[in-house]
């Protein structure tokens, strides 16, 4: 429980830092964005495979178990480069993992991970993601740190298709990789034109 509280505190600090940075960036680019989009929301559904250390495998075989997962994300973009978001993944399977700190075996049953993330878009297609959160499960909740990248393509009617690669470190427990394909819907808001003075 203490790890979860620490994770939530770290998430709050990350949120405040990303928000402050995004507000500064938005202020600096305000003049350049007068005619364009100045804020938008992105809603994403991701179909993915999670790669988890294999506890039930046979010696010499694959060291990872691949399990299906779904992702449900929301991002609030302050400008073209910076955003904050809430990213959630549901693992659709039961599995066992070994804790790194005491080598005990724990069973995970359909865990849900929820992460507060900051997003940075250095170019048109690539997005870098990092954040902190918690993996919720009926027997034990775990704090986690996430880092990942998305590579996306714009589609008509403000949709976006992207491929995602993410790494999750569950504190003192285990690491996992997630690879998926996502579809996003972007909801944009434009500046109203200035009234002409005649």
């Amino acid at each position: 429980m203490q790890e979860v509280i620490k994770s939530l505190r770290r998430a709050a600090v990350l949120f405040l830092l990303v928000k402050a940075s995004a507000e500064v960036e938005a202020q600096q680019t305000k003049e350049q964005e007068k005619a364009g989009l100045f804020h938008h929301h992105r809603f994403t559904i991701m179909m993915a495979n999670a790669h988890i250390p294999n506890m039930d495998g046979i010696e010499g075989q694959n060291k990872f178990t691949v399990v299906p997962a779904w992702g449900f994300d929301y991002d609030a973009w302050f400008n073209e480069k910076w955003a904050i978001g809430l990213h959630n993944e549901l693992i659709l399977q039961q599995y066992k993992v070994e804790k790194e700190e005491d080598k005990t075996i724990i069973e995970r049953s359909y865990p849900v991970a929820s992460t507060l993330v900051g997003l940075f878009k250095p170019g048109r297609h690539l997005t870098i993601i990092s954040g902190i959160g918690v993996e919720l499960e009926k027997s034990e909740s775990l704090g986690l740190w996430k880092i990942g990248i998305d590579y996306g393509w714009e589609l008509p009617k403000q949709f976006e298709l992207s491929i995602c690669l993410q790494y999750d470190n569950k504190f003192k427990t285990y690491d996992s990789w997630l690879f998926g394909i996502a579809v996003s819907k972007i909801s944009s808001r434009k500046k109203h034109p200035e009234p002409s003075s005649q």
Side-chain angles (χ1 to χ4, degrees), residues 9 18 28-30 35 39 41 63 84 87 92 95 100 110 119 123 152 155 160 166 168 192:
R9 286 181 185 158
V18 171
Q28 291 174 347
T29 58
K30 189 175 181 181
H39 186 77
H41 305 276
K63 295 182 179 179
I84 58 171
H87 288 200
L92 301 175
Y95 55 93
E100 291 176 358
Y110 304 96
L119 299 95
L155 300 175
E160 186 177 72
Q166 299 176 7
D168 287 355
H192 296 292

Side-chain angles (χ1 to χ4, degrees), residues 5-29:
I5 292 171
K6 286 180 184 177
S7 297
L8 294 175
R9 286 181 185 158
R10 291 177 186 144
V13 170
L14 176 68
F15 173 81
L16 293 174
L17 289 174
V18 171
K19 187 174 188 302
S21 176
E23 286 174 355
V24 169
E25 179 83 13
Q27 186 65 29
Q28 291 174 347
T29 58

Side-chain angles (χ1 to χ4, degrees), residues 85-193:
L86 183 64
H87 288 200
N88 307 282
E89 291 94 34
L90 168 64
I91 303 292
L92 301 175
Q93 196 164 313
Q94 297 177 334
Y95 55 93
K96 295 178 182 177
V97 291
E98 182 180 72
K99 279 191 170 184
E100 291 176 358
E101 60 179 348
D102 58 9
K103 304 299 182 187
T104 58
I105 306 297
I106 59 171
E107 187 169 334
R108 312 298 284 162
S109 179
Y110 304 96
V112 176
S114 188
T115 311
L116 183 64
V117 298
L119 299 95
F120 174 65
K121 196 167 187 174
R124 184 174 178 183
H125 299 286
L126 183 68
T127 304
I128 300 168
I129 302 163
S130 183
I132 199 159
V134 62
E135 182 181 82
L136 303 169
E137 197 267 344
K138 62 183 180 182
S139 62
E140 183 177 0
S141 295
L142 305 171
L144 69 89
W145 171 70
K146 176 188 294 292
I147 188 167
I149 56 171
D150 288 358
Y151 194 89
W153 297 270
E154 295 174 9
L155 300 175
K157 297 185 179 180
Q158 293 191 306
F159 280 93
E160 186 177 72
L161 177 68
S162 58
I163 55 173
C164 315
L165 179 63
Q166 299 176 7
Y167 165 79
D168 287 355
N169 173 253
K170 279 79 172 184
F171 301 138
K172 300 181 182 179
T173 310
Y174 69 102
D175 301 339
S176 63
W177 290 90
L178 188 129
F179 180 75
I181 299 174
V183 176
S184 303
K185 172 63 176 171
I186 297 169
S187 172
S188 299
R189 191 172 67 186
K190 293 187 179 181
K191 277 187 177 292
H192 296 292

Side-chain angles (χ1 to χ4, degrees), residues 19-70:
K19 187 174 188 302
S21 176
E23 286 174 355
V24 169
E25 179 83 13
Q27 186 65 29
Q28 291 174 347
T29 58
K30 189 175 181 181
E31 291 301 316
Q32 299 172 359
E33 298 177 344
K34 276 185 177 178
L37 303 177
F38 75 100
H39 186 77
H40 72 254
H41 305 276
R42 184 173 71 169
F43 303 90
T44 303
I45 296 177
M46 176 177 59
M47 183 175 60
N49 286 323
H51 298 251
I52 297 164
N54 190 358
M55 290 304 304
D56 297 322
I58 299 170
E59 185 68 28
Q61 289 190 357
N62 196 341
K63 295 182 179 179
F64 289 91
T65 298
V66 179
V67 297
W70 284 95

